[in-house]
Amino acid sequence: MKMSAGHCLRKALSTRSIIPFIGIYDVFSASVAGQHFDGIFISGFGFAASYYGLPDIGFIAWSDIVNFVQRVRTILPNHHIIVDIDDGYTDPEVACHVVHLLESIGASGVVLEDQRRPRRCGHFDGKQLMELETFIEKLQKVLATRQELFVVARTDASEVDEIITRTKAFAAAGADAVLADGLTDLNVLKLLKAEQSKPLMFNQIAGGKSPSCSLEDLERLGVSLVNYSTPCLFAAQSAIHDTMQLLKEQNGLLLKEKVGVQQCTQLLNQNLMNRR
């Protein structure tokens, strides 16, 4: 009997000290990232930008994210896939429904946050938190719904004492891992590791509040999972902008690039072979 995606992730965590998850924004970027890393992060920021062309402030519909994850899983059947589900898309009943669907289509895990709406990217100011008791109730319902899906509980608290209080409560409620987003001081990770026994996840985003650091740095601080929210999206924005500018400067002359129709089709044919 084939192991569930959640079980596979747990097994990987038991044998690897740290696992990076690359944030992708569409199925094509997942194809490229999946050639280099076996961890894929379905980024809410990236999906809101790609699917809606809008900022990460709560526009995502749960049905859209479920359909997207299903398409990514189809072409990457053996990768670890963690999905950002924001606050579970409002009510606990909706969060549980989404978690059930995501597990049934092969997601490895989800990240559930304690922001209340209107929400915003974790590395921006102005975030509002749910009451801890209210979030714990939602988290417990999600944990009771999943079978083996890996559940990361995220706090957007900014004060160290509150971060510690909330992550300890998340761990006590049964979350599989905890994440404090938007940390400006990486030494807080040491405190979180000392205060509770669950694996730590850390979020890296270019231009965000947290300082840049290597996997070795994070491993020394006790981190087990690292999600890189937006490297594919930001790389695409830069590359597309540069290519369009060059096309204008060359008066419409299309120059040969590193990737052409043959190289792109080769990648797409590989996706055909990867399908279940």
Side-chain angles (χ1 to χ4, degrees):
M1 185 175 182
K2 186 175 181 179
M3 290 189 298
S4 71
H7 184 80
C8 289
L9 177 54
R10 286 181 171 82
K11 185 176 180 181
L13 277 171
S14 70
T15 58
R16 296 163 61 178
S17 57
I18 193 165
I19 304 177
F21 291 81
I22 305 302
I24 53 89
Y25 63 89
D26 66 0
V27 183
F28 188 78
S29 63
S31 305
V32 179
Q35 292 186 315
H36 301 275
F37 295 89
D38 67 352
I40 297 295
F41 180 61
I42 306 293
S43 161
F45 189 113
F47 184 71
S50 174
Y51 198 78
Y52 305 102
L54 294 171
D56 184 24
I57 54 176
F59 289 107
I60 296 174
W62 65 261
S63 55
D64 290 338
I65 203 75
V66 169
N67 290 336
F68 175 53
V69 174
Q70 186 172 38
R71 294 197 298 273
V72 174
R73 176 51 86 194
T74 298
I75 57 106
L76 296 177
N78 299 312
H79 283 60
H80 306 299
I81 299 176
I82 291 183
V83 185
D84 177 8
I85 60 169
D86 295 340
D87 61 346
Y89 310 106
T90 64
D91 298 336
E93 290 74 17
V94 175
C96 291
H97 182 61
V98 172
V99 162
H100 172 74
L101 291 175
L102 288 173
E103 184 164 25
S104 70
I105 62 175
S108 308
V110 297
V111 178
L112 180 70
E113 69 185 35
D114 64 357
Q115 280 196 56
R116 64 182 177 89
R117 301 204 172 207
R119 71 169 308 280
R120 56 185 67 230
C121 170
H123 288 257
F124 284 87
D125 295 328
K127 297 179 292 184
Q128 303 177 79
L129 301 181
M130 299 171 60
E131 294 295 330
L132 179 56
E133 295 76 11
T134 302
F135 179 74
I136 291 297
E137 180 181 354
K138 179 185 287 187
L139 175 61
Q140 288 175 330
K141 288 182 178 180
V142 163
L143 292 170
T145 298
R146 60 88 188 264
Q147 299 298 313
E148 294 186 295
L149 190 77
F150 193 86
V151 177
V152 181
R154 161 181 153 177
T155 184
D156 281 84
S158 56
E159 300 297 327
V160 174
D161 288 345
E162 187 168 16
I163 291 172
I164 292 174
T165 296
R166 286 181 175 251
T167 51
K168 286 176 67 175
F170 300 168
D176 297 301
V178 297
L179 163 64
D181 203 16
L183 292 179
T184 57
D185 182 1
L186 296 185
N187 288 319
V188 175
L189 293 168
K190 293 181 180 179
L191 298 176
L192 298 184
K193 191 65 178 179
E195 290 287 345
Q196 55 82 48
S197 60
K198 299 293 185 176
L200 296 182
M201 174 177 269
F202 181 74
N203 180 37
Q204 295 223 59
I205 183 169
K209 290 185 174 183
S210 302
S212 297
C213 48
S214 69
L215 288 175
E216 289 182 351
D217 294 333
L218 292 172
E219 187 177 350
R220 284 194 294 268
L221 292 167
V223 172
S224 300
L225 310 102
V226 185
N227 57 295
Y228 296 83
S229 294
T230 51
C232 295
L233 178 70
F234 294 170
Q237 180 176 349
S238 177
I240 293 170
H241 174 81
D242 290 348
T243 300
M244 296 302 99
Q245 188 65 38
L246 182 61
L247 192 61
K248 287 168 61 177
E249 293 173 358
Q250 297 292 333
N251 195 29
L253 178 63
L254 187 63
L255 302 177
K256 184 176 181 180
E257 301 288 345
K258 292 181 180 178
V259 174
V261 63
Q262 290 85 6
Q263 292 86 353
C264 184
T265 302
Q266 183 179 8
L267 174 62
L268 299 176
N269 284 333
Q270 184 62 49
N271 287 343
L272 276 177
M273 297 175 61
N274 289 340
R275 293 182 306 177
R276 290 178 177 177

